[in-house]
Structures are given as structure tokens and as C-alpha cells.
Amino acid sequence: QVQLVESGGGLVQPGGSLRLSCAASGSIFSINVMGWYRRAPGIQRELVARITSGGIAYYGDSAKGRFTISLDSAKNTVYLQMTSLKSEDTDAYYCTVVDGKGAYYWGQGTQVTVSS
């Protein structure tokens, strides 16, 4: 089975930084896209950022200018460098991978709490 192991969440003060990591392993066909989602009012999940296997990144409005997504293809690991964190960023963040067949896989989520 495909496993997504997330880490890096925690409690930080406003203006602080965190780096989230997600490592994919198991019987994955191939990786097309990896990304991060979070919960949002009125919807199940909101896209934070995603990156293709070719290194093309896309950011949701809340992440632009503050977060950076990167992919280490050799390790099947995606990172989300989060800076200038605000209380509004508090949420559970979920890693996802889209394989070469178009299937989605989800991690368990890692909690980010921004509070003074």
C-alpha cells in the first residue's frame, strides 16, 4: 500500500516559520503531483500548494509570497516551507500525491497552530 508520512507541524508564534515534510513510500506507480491541502470554512479541503514532478509549482492565494513548496524526487518527499505564519494559518495540513494513473493518496494530516 502507498504510505504518506507527514511531519513538521507544531505550535509557533505569529511571524514564525515551520517546514512540513511528507514522504511517500510503498507500491506507488509513479508520482505526477504532490501537494498540501488544509481545511477551510464551507469546504472539505483547500489547496495550499502543489508541485509537479517536473518542478512546476502552484500556490493558493493564502500561500503566495509566504510559503515555498519543493520536491525531492529521489526521496519521494515534498516539503512546504512556511514563513510569516499568521493565526489564520492554523489548521490541519494534509499531504497528497497524485500518481501516474491519476489516483489520489492522502496523509493523516499534521497540525499547525499559530498562536501567541
Side-chain angles (χ1 to χ4, degrees), residues 1-6 21-25 28 31 34-35 76 94-98 104-109:
Q1 294 183 345
V2 174
Q3 301 288 331
L4 301 180
V5 180
E6 300 151 314
S21 300
C22 174
S25 62
I28 190 169
I31 295 176
M34 294 189 76
N76 286 341
Y94 298 86
C95 176
T96 187
V97 58
V98 185
Y104 281 73
Y105 302 91
W106 295 92
Q108 298 297 310

Side-chain angles (χ1 to χ4, degrees), residues 30-88:
S30 63
I31 295 176
N32 189 5
V33 182
M34 294 189 76
W36 293 92
Y37 287 74
R38 70 186 187 189
R39 292 174 295 181
I43 60 174
Q44 291 186 325
R45 292 177 180 177
E46 174 189 36
L47 175 68
V48 179
R50 62 173 182 253
I51 187 167
T52 70
S53 60
I56 300 174
Y58 175 86
Y59 297 93
D61 289 341
S62 64
K64 292 178 180 177
R66 299 189 298 128
F67 299 172
T68 301
I69 190 169
S70 60
L71 175 66
D72 186 337
S73 296
K75 297 180 179 180
N76 286 341
T77 300
V78 65
Y79 304 93
L80 185 67
Q81 180 66 49
M82 310 169 72
T83 61
S84 301
L85 284 163
K86 303 179 291 186
S87 60
E88 295 92 328

